[in-house]
Amino acid sequence: RRLSHDMYAAWVLILQLGAYAAIFEFGLQSAISKFVAQHHATEDHHGSGGILSTALLLLSLSAVLALGCVAVLVWQVPHLFGQLPPPLVREVRLGLALVGGAIALALPATAFASSFEGVQRNSVPMAIQIGGQLLSAIVIASAVLLHQSLAVMGAGVAAVTAAMGLAQVAAWRRHLAHIHVSAAALSRRTAGLILRYCAAMSVWSFAMLLISGLDTAIVGHFDFKATGFYAVAASLTNFVILTISAVFNPLLPAASALAAVNDRPALASLLLRTTRYCGLLLLMTGLPLLLYGYPILSLWVGRDYARHSAVLLQILVIGNMIRLCGVPYSCI
């Protein structure tokens, strides 16, 4: 409501391009969650420490690669988005460097959040995530209301991202200090185990990039003026996607713990029950957007955006409701 169409379009491009830095975790977070869950099920704290220490080193190397990717994207902004108004080129570059750089540097800290998931104490990283998202929203809204630039908005998001990373480390030191991190716990065998698992997860990550990671950037490349309208529809669709993700992410460590003791009947029962719950939750979150998308958009972003985004919203919601039915199966 407060930004011009061009500024809002440029802002969503900053967020999507910056988020590419997170792709360089290569499934390491899932690996930590899975293998820590297995060791936790047998009370092998030394094994959990080896997994966390080795994954932390691998995530640090990934952070270096992510910073390189962000630098290339910053350099290529004028070529990627030829329709971007010249006054916004510098703003997008600065905002992308700040947001993408912060996400890349925070990658190692995600190892500690994943260790909480492995011991099925999701409330701790989730509380940090919710607090960070609320703080980020306040920072962005404040910058917009004070008529600040996109670079200032990007700096605010970068600061919150860094604070969330530090909070994850502090939470680990307070609650999971028995899972030790040390150079002595590093192991080639553990690294090989993690990397073999991540090879499959990298295929998953690449597929997710094609499904929901390139869309806004593609629109920005071919039709910059429509970027804001598409991004609004995608944002509401993400409500469905993130709800399903938040609810069913704990399936991975739960299934890993059952697999560690070879409890196949319990795994089968878990799959059936969670698939039913997933279908019900998809109907509860998706149907209101399909039936009342236009009035919801009108209340949220105004009638101009609603007029251009309503049909896009319906298409995206239908596609993702079909896709997300398989989330429990794919996790387990």
Side-chain angles (χ1 to χ4, degrees), residues 11-32:
W11 175 242
V12 296
L13 288 175
I14 289 172
L15 293 180
Q16 179 156 90
L17 294 175
Y20 290 163
I23 295 169
F24 286 83
E25 59 96 17
F26 295 123
L28 284 164
Q29 293 179 56
S30 295
I32 296 167

Side-chain angles (χ1 to χ4, degrees), residues 112-113 115-116 121 123-125 127-128 164-177:
F112 301 103
S115 64
F116 277 99
R121 294 185 62 182
S123 58
V124 176
I128 295 172
M164 289 171 62
L166 293 174
Q168 289 167 349
V169 176
W172 163 76
R173 289 175 64 89
R174 180 174 180 179
H175 299 287
L176 293 181

